[in-house]
Amino acid sequence: MSAARRLPISQVDAFADRPFTGNPAAVMPLEEWLGDGVLQAIAAENNLAETAFLIPDESGEADYELRWFTPTVEVALCGHATLASGHVLLSAAPWRQEMRFRTRKAGILQVSRDGENEGYRMALPAYPAAPKAMPDIVRALGGDPVETQWHPGGYAVIAYRDAASVRALTPDFRALKQGGDVLYIATAPGDGDPSGADVVSRAFAPGAGIDEDPVTGSAHSVLTPYWAARLGRGGFSAYQASARGGHVGCRLDGDMVELTGTCVTTLVGDFLL
């Protein structure tokens, strides 16, 4: 019987300042790509919202190629697992200030050290949404939203009057799953919310195997241009009000958003294949 192949794996709580908060991601640097079926099976075995796989980039455009898998599908963009990947790589290379990632559908992404907060700055594409009526989604989410918007990348923004309305939602996940691989983002002003943030949100992706995502970087690719316009300023603080919860700093920079956050490593070891 052949010996098991050892693949390095780290588990990181992203957008977290202590364990058991933020959004956990597995980060697995590889020497070369394994088959897609194997990558998907590993992500299913990890059973986290996302597993990030990386290989050294040979194009000269970036340091690494990066792909993300939920337990059921490969996704086009994942922010928290990108932040976690930058944390793992920069922790192993203290002389580096940034890491660049080439992705298949989201372009070149970057994670840099944020010395002021002992955390990281991450550049993601900005995804401005546009008004669209979505009565079926509203019924499945519940509550009484004041506005609904849609981005064709599969992002639905449902805005509510206050943060308490967002926190009180009890979505019909079976109904939402019928929409396929869509990220449903419920959001509201943070006025009076215990988080102290300018903006509060929750994010649901049952079609991708995640009923409620704890803290979603890609959701803030949509929320940042939305709230920058509503608040009349380029930067603001955000809080994703899941059971784990996490703070995200947001700033609109042209066709990109800059998100800031901290990470906590909770596991380092080998995946035996």
Side-chain angles (χ1 to χ4, degrees), residues 141-143 160 162-171 186 193 200 202 204 241:
L141 275 179
Y160 292 82
D162 52 43
S165 299
V166 171
R167 288 180 176 270
L169 294 175
T170 56
D193 189 73
V200 168
R202 292 171 67 191
F204 312 99

Side-chain angles (χ1 to χ4, degrees), residues 108-131:
I108 302 294
L109 309 181
Q110 180 174 298
V111 175
S112 308
R113 299 186 191 276
D114 183 6
E116 294 182 4
N117 302 308
E118 297 184 354
Y120 303 97
R121 290 177 284 112
M122 175 172 59
L124 299 180
Y127 289 161

Side-chain angles (χ1 to χ4, degrees), residues 126-144:
Y127 289 161
K132 180 181 179 180
M134 296 179 282
D136 292 344
I137 292 173
V138 169
R139 279 193 295 271
L141 275 179
D144 185 21

Side-chain angles (χ1 to χ4, degrees), residues 141 166 169-171 173 176 182-186 202-207 210-213 216 240:
L141 275 179
V166 171
L169 294 175
T170 56
F173 294 121
L176 290 176
V182 173
L183 184 65
Y184 305 98
I185 309 164
R202 292 171 67 191
F204 312 99
I210 309 163
D211 282 350
E212 179 164 6
D213 199 33
T216 316
Q240 194 157 326

Side-chain angles (χ1 to χ4, degrees), residues 169-273:
L169 294 175
T170 56
D172 181 344
F173 294 121
R174 181 177 297 181
L176 290 176
K177 189 175 183 179
Q178 301 306 310
D181 187 9
V182 173
L183 184 65
Y184 305 98
I185 309 164
T187 189
D191 302 338
D193 189 73
S195 68
D198 297 316
V199 169
V200 168
S201 69
R202 292 171 67 191
F204 312 99
I210 309 163
D211 282 350
E212 179 164 6
D213 199 33
V215 189
T216 316
S218 63
H220 292 83
S221 283
V222 187
L223 289 172
T224 300
Y226 176 81
W227 281 108
R230 279 195 58 174
L231 296 172
R233 62 180 191 268
F236 57 89
S237 61
Y239 182 75
Q240 194 157 326
S242 65
R244 294 175 63 98
H247 290 270
V248 184
C250 304
R251 185 173 70 86
L252 184 62
D253 185 12
D255 60 355
M256 300 292 287
V257 302
E258 182 182 87
L259 307 182
T260 56
T262 53
C263 293
V264 178
T265 301
T266 58
L267 178 151
V268 177
D270 294 318
F271 189 103
L272 303 183
L273 183 61

